[in-house]
Amino acid sequence: MKTKKPTQSAKQAAVRYLSRRDHAEQELQQKLLARGFEQEEVDEAVALCQDYNWLDDARFAERLLNNGIAKGWGLLRIRQEMAHKGIHEEVVSHLFEDDEFDWFEHAREIAQRKYGDSPMDTDKEKARRLRFMQSKGFDFEQVKYALDVDDDEY
């Protein structure tokens, strides 16, 4: 199926997308290509947006990090979201290079918010809480810390 030729330029479409919200470079390229623009037009539009600092993967990654923390996600889930949005691994690594955020305490806060002081008295309940915390993107060590369980309990 052939896509019909867009009525506006790739540059106009790119600016319109970026006026709504930040995008990763790869994400913006995919949207423009899906709209029927040629690769050369897309490359020019992306370059223009980068020149004017309207498109910045590092800034976008930082926003995703802050939004992920606000949503109660762990580091693994946030990194997965960044990869899904097409942020280069180099940008992601640089963002987390000097990361001083306490992911263990964050996990504990999320567990406390979800479960409060309710007892975790059955194996079924422990497994349910473990699955929930892992689905939020916390690694096993962070989950054990958050739920206050020992290695010999699993």
Side-chain angles (χ1 to χ4, degrees), residues 79-132:
R79 288 182 84 104
Q80 178 185 35
E81 185 70 16
M82 289 178 181
H84 177 73
K85 295 286 187 181
I87 299 173
H88 298 289
E89 181 57 36
E90 183 180 305
V91 173
V92 175
S93 296
H94 184 68
L95 178 65
F96 291 111
E97 207 170 75
D98 300 324
D99 183 31
E100 294 181 12
F101 188 76
D102 191 341
W103 293 101
F104 286 87
E105 283 303 319
H106 180 58
R108 182 168 272 174
E109 289 169 14
I110 300 305
Q112 181 64 31
R113 189 183 326 154
K114 174 79 173 172
Y115 301 111
D117 294 326
S118 65
M120 186 172 48
D121 47 7
T122 65
D123 287 341
K124 186 176 180 179
E125 181 62 19
K126 284 180 192 174
R128 189 174 74 79
R129 291 183 186 193
L130 178 76
R131 280 192 311 273
F132 170 77

Side-chain angles (χ1 to χ4, degrees), residues 1-153:
M1 183 173 121
K2 190 125 179 148
T3 310
K4 68 178 187 175
K5 187 72 177 158
T7 56
Q8 61 182 216
S9 74
K11 292 175 186 173
Q12 290 170 324
V15 170
R16 200 176 88 247
Y17 281 129
L18 292 171
S19 70
R20 290 190 194 127
R21 72 167 178 85
D22 261 346
H23 287 70
E25 178 183 336
Q26 182 180 335
E27 183 184 29
L28 183 62
Q29 285 181 345
Q30 288 173 343
K31 282 187 174 188
L32 294 173
L33 289 170
R35 293 261 325 263
F37 294 108
E38 299 296 324
Q39 184 67 52
E40 188 177 322
E41 292 175 289
V42 170
D43 291 342
E44 288 175 14
V46 166
L48 173 85
C49 292
Q50 287 173 330
D51 289 345
Y52 282 99
N53 203 25
W54 298 332
L55 182 65
D56 183 356
D57 275 3
R59 182 181 63 224
F60 183 65
E62 196 169 326
R63 273 211 184 113
L64 274 179
L65 172 63
N66 293 331
N67 289 341
I69 290 170
K71 290 178 180 179
W73 292 349
L75 181 61
L76 299 174
R77 175 70 170 86
I78 292 170
R79 288 182 84 104
Q80 178 185 35
E81 185 70 16
M82 289 178 181
H84 177 73
K85 295 286 187 181
I87 299 173
H88 298 289
E89 181 57 36
E90 183 180 305
V91 173
V92 175
S93 296
H94 184 68
L95 178 65
F96 291 111
E97 207 170 75
D98 300 324
D99 183 31
E100 294 181 12
F101 188 76
D102 191 341
W103 293 101
F104 286 87
E105 283 303 319
H106 180 58
R108 182 168 272 174
E109 289 169 14
I110 300 305
Q112 181 64 31
R113 189 183 326 154
K114 174 79 173 172
Y115 301 111
D117 294 326
S118 65
M120 186 172 48
D121 47 7
T122 65
D123 287 341
K124 186 176 180 179
E125 181 62 19
K126 284 180 192 174
R128 189 174 74 79
R129 291 183 186 193
L130 178 76
R131 280 192 311 273
F132 170 77
M133 293 299 291
Q134 287 180 321
S135 76
K136 293 296 249 177
F138 295 102
D139 68 29
F140 192 65
E141 293 301 314
Q142 293 163 350
V143 172
K144 287 190 324 188
Y145 177 83
L147 298 177
D148 200 24
V149 295
D150 297 323
D151 281 335
D152 56 346
E153 292 184 49

